Amino acid sequence: MKKIKHLLIVLCMFSTGIFSSCNYLDVSNYFDDTMHLDSVFKHKIYLEKFLWGAAALLPNEGNIFVNSYYPAILGSDEGFTMWESDYPCQRFPLNEITADNLGNMDIWPAMYQVIRKANTIFARIEECEDLSSQDKREIVGYAHFLRGYAYYLLVLNYGPCILVGDNILDTSLPSEAYETERATFDECVEYICQELETAAEYIPTTVPINLFGRPTKGAAYGLIARLRVYAASPLYNGGKAARIYFSNFLRRSDKVPYISQTYDEKKWAVAAAACKRLIDSGNYKLYTVEATSETPELPKNVTYDPNYYKTFPEGANGIDPLKSYSEMFNGEAISFKNEEIVFGRNSDYVKNGTKYSFPSANGGWNGYCIPLHIIDGYRMADGQPINDSSNEYPYTEEGFTKQAVTFSGYELRADISNMYANREMRFYASIGFSGCLWPMRSTTETGKYLQVIRYGVDQNSGKSAATEGDLRNYPITGFVSKKYIHSDDAWKGSNGSVLSKPFIMIRYADILLMYAECLNNLTQTHTITDAQENTYTVSRDINEMAKAFNQVRYRAGLPGLRQEELATADNFFEVLKTERMIEFLHEGLRYYDTRRWGIVADVESKPIMGMDAEKTEKGGFYNRVICNYASVRNRIFLPKMILLPINRQEIKRVPTMDQNPGWEN
């Protein structure tokens, strides 16, 4: 059944042109590789097609829901399905991925094809006589971006890789010509950052509307910032995690550790400066929607944050927090005007991915489950965690609400569990829960819009209702993702339609939280000079940390940090972990975060919990239970899963190349 579902998604993507047109790289007409290379460099138009044809080999970043190029959502603790493990992402935490069969996650060869094509451009661009100086400058810049980005994707998923420099290796050379070794992780990071710095010198700061998604100077800087933060994190910077997973990961020839076993605080300072460069550029800000009469008032009981009632961004006043968060993802916001997007693209993978959460009776597959610990991470409306809720906004798992509430165009019907009442706005923007209203306003067919969806065994989308082709088409946890679903979206019914969606690879909220994280890890003052000779002096300045972090909280309608949360690095880190889990739910970052922090083993060791889907709505459904399904019970984390394996065929082709730890057999 899942194979049929996957085929339907693929057919849908073909019908919408996703394989024939990747807008972020403008490859509507790929260069035909059968054309002799001499012809490529005769004319600008051929060279541009060759450039963007190379870019077409990159994975589609929006494809993070089932068949991603890395384990993404299903390979982390933020989502799973009960469908059979046809998807490599879901098979990964079941220990069913091998170095012989990675499925879509085998991007190693394609990334080196991108690198080879970029190198070909560098070697032969002077042959193209009809290029202006500006044309040449941009093509060289984009080629550096593509080469750096290809390496970036390799490093994030496989760790250290082979740096080939400007070499263009002929495919017909004897095998010994390809014998080389992987560089260390730090060497890879420096090389990638230099590539992206070079790209940023040549590519524009902005692009025309019709080229939304094409890389910009800010995109290059954003990738540098993220990679610097990852490189400073415990997994790659001599922390406990580096020692646990990589202490014996040594290069065969010289016994040099691939991953540094020595902590270097300066890496956090360099990362902080990389984030600050984007902050100081003034080109980005958090997306917000102005408050209206429909916007709920801010809670009146907040006393510890003196700035809370100020106008955004100094406080949380004057904006609609629900719309400010939800519109970025559901297709409502105009992407090319969204100043929060540092690097993003339109993606039909996101649009079609909404079908996995949609109710079965309304054209979806109703089974993209969110675990209960994610739900518990959302705060109450006044910013209190659920285990320390206030009298004004209490949290209880007993009883049901008595009356409906409408705010910001969102309707919370009566008779829902009290555990879903009075929650922060990101909860309502992101989570489909039992009793949630699905508007589906684009369809005009009676019975297909304004539907209350419930997941108890006796309800319209619970276990007993899962009869449309697959008895597993229901969320066993009682929660699905609505983050990318617009109130107009309807997969079924007369005139029903689904809005196009963007996928944001890097957004300004991530830059702000990473900046605060970097400062939190500093014990000294550091002065850093970047590639443009800009100087940044950084330290663990709690006012600077709060200024960055609190903007994200304020945009969500929540108060900022308490002083005790800023008092120590450990205290702040505990808050940061949950904030990133909630703010970036199902954006593909959780998989990397839990690894780079070294908490993945602890996270994955906890049982996945949810509501009791075997019970009726009023007869025990709201009891917390461990999810009892094979693809959940059998999840495991092994040390080798810290990185993906390199395909065994690649190791055979380059026998001097070491495999990642634990994947040798």
Side-chain angles (χ1 to χ4, degrees), residues 47 247 303 305 371 464 650:
L47 178 53
S247 60
T303 58
D305 181 0
S464 63
E650 299 297 323

Side-chain angles (χ1 to χ4, degrees), residues 376-397:
D376 291 344
Y378 288 95
R379 292 174 173 257
M380 306 306 291
D382 60 354
Q384 292 296 113
I386 64 170
N387 60 359
D388 188 27
S389 63
S390 65
N391 293 329
E392 292 84 355
Y393 297 90
Y395 177 81
T396 177
E397 298 182 6

Side-chain angles (χ1 to χ4, degrees), residues 493-551:
S494 302
N495 302 314
S497 62
V498 180
L499 273 68
S500 296
K501 324 284 182 184
F503 182 75
I504 307 173
M505 284 85 86
I506 302 176
R507 57 188 177 94
Y508 189 55
D510 192 14
I511 301 300
L512 290 172
L513 293 187
M514 288 193 298
Y515 178 56
E517 178 183 355
C518 292
L519 298 186
N520 184 56
N521 284 282
L522 299 178
T523 62
Q524 305 172 45
T525 298
H526 299 262
T527 299
I528 304 298
T529 301
D530 67 14
Q532 290 74 45
E533 302 299 322
N534 299 311
T535 299
Y536 303 89
T537 299
V538 293
S539 63
R540 192 179 187 278
D541 182 334
I542 61 173
N543 293 322
E544 187 80 351
M545 291 164 57
K547 181 180 177 182
F549 186 97
N550 287 352
Q551 287 185 58

Side-chain angles (χ1 to χ4, degrees), residues 146-157:
L146 293 180
R147 186 163 73 174
Y149 192 35
Y151 277 121
Y152 166 90
L153 293 173
L154 288 171
V155 164
L156 256 59
N157 296 298

Side-chain angles (χ1 to χ4, degrees), residues 32-212:
D32 183 356
D33 277 346
T34 60
M35 182 183 289
H36 196 279
L37 276 177
D38 289 341
S39 299
V40 172
F41 294 94
K42 289 291 185 182
H43 300 289
K44 171 187 172 182
I45 188 171
Y46 294 152
L47 178 53
E48 287 179 332
K49 288 182 178 181
F50 182 78
L51 171 72
W52 300 121
L57 295 168
L58 294 167
N60 188 310
E61 299 89 345
N63 184 16
I64 62 169
F65 297 99
V66 286
N67 268 330
S68 177
Y69 64 96
Y70 69 105
I73 298 171
L74 297 182
S76 74
D77 68 328
E78 64 176 0
F80 72 94
T81 73
M82 292 193 296
W83 302 313
E84 295 303 322
S85 55
D86 293 323
Y87 299 134
C89 298
Q90 180 128 311
R91 288 166 47 209
F92 183 72
L94 296 173
N95 194 28
E96 294 177 359
I97 289 296
T98 69
D100 297 303
N101 182 17
L102 283 83
N104 282 22
M105 296 187 290
D106 186 15
I107 65 169
W108 184 277
M111 295 307 95
Y112 279 102
Q113 290 179 53
V114 173
I115 292 163
R116 188 177 192 276
K117 287 175 180 287
N119 287 353
T120 301
I121 291 174
F122 297 139
R124 304 192 62 172
I125 193 169
E126 297 296 341
E127 300 174 26
C128 193
E129 297 179 357
D130 63 345
L131 288 180
S132 68
S133 298
Q134 184 60 29
D135 291 335
K136 179 180 176 182
R137 182 180 179 85
E138 286 199 5
I139 288 173
V140 167
Y142 282 125
H144 276 289
F145 184 94
L146 293 180
R147 186 163 73 174
Y149 192 35
Y151 277 121
Y152 166 90
L153 293 173
L154 288 171
V155 164
L156 256 59
N157 296 298
Y158 301 98
C161 56
I162 293 173
L163 300 177
V164 300
D166 294 334
N167 292 331
I168 306 171
L169 295 177
D170 194 297
T171 56
S172 61
L173 296 177
S175 58
E176 55 267 22
Y178 307 109
E179 292 186 359
T180 187
E181 295 179 306
R182 299 167 74 176
T184 67
F185 184 86
D186 286 345
E187 289 168 345
C188 292
V189 168
E190 294 305 318
Y191 182 86
I192 295 166
C193 289
Q194 183 55 59
E195 281 296 286
L196 295 171
E197 292 283 2
T198 301
E201 291 181 26
Y202 298 130
I203 62 180
T205 302
T206 61
V207 295
I209 292 172
N210 64 315
L211 294 180
F212 166 71

